[in-house]
Amino acid sequence: MPIVLNLDVMLAKRKMRSNELAERIGITTANLSILKTGKAKAVRFSTLEMICEILECQPGDILEYVAEK
């Protein structure tokens, strides 16, 4: 998939663990893991908004377009 989620990069930069972020967002760690591994087919804007608010970043810091070869 050409859209890549760099969520682990932002978590590392903010020195935050996945389970803490999941708890603060109000989603399960399993669903956050699906996002982190790029297996998600969609992301709700409300979830993206909360991730950006908590990690103090922009959507472009998390989402990246990588052209398929």
Side-chain angles (χ1 to χ4, degrees):
M1 181 174 218
I3 301 294
V4 177
L5 270 91
N6 296 314
L7 195 50
D8 2 353
V9 174
M10 287 308 299
L11 283 168
K13 284 182 180 180
R14 300 299 187 248
K15 296 181 172 67
M16 185 180 292
R17 299 188 65 182
S18 296
N19 57 353
E20 180 185 351
L21 179 61
E23 185 178 310
R24 291 179 64 181
I25 292 172
I27 64 174
T28 65
T29 53
N31 284 339
L32 186 62
S33 178
I34 290 169
L35 282 175
K36 283 177 50 179
T37 58
K39 294 180 182 175
K41 298 292 182 192
V43 179
R44 289 187 175 160
F45 281 143
S46 58
T47 302
L48 182 59
E49 179 184 354
M50 291 186 75
I51 290 171
C52 289
E53 183 179 324
I54 292 166
L55 295 179
E56 298 177 354
C57 65
Q58 294 295 312
D61 296 329
I62 297 170
L63 301 172
E64 180 183 1
Y65 173 76
V66 179
E68 292 181 345
K69 296 180 180 186

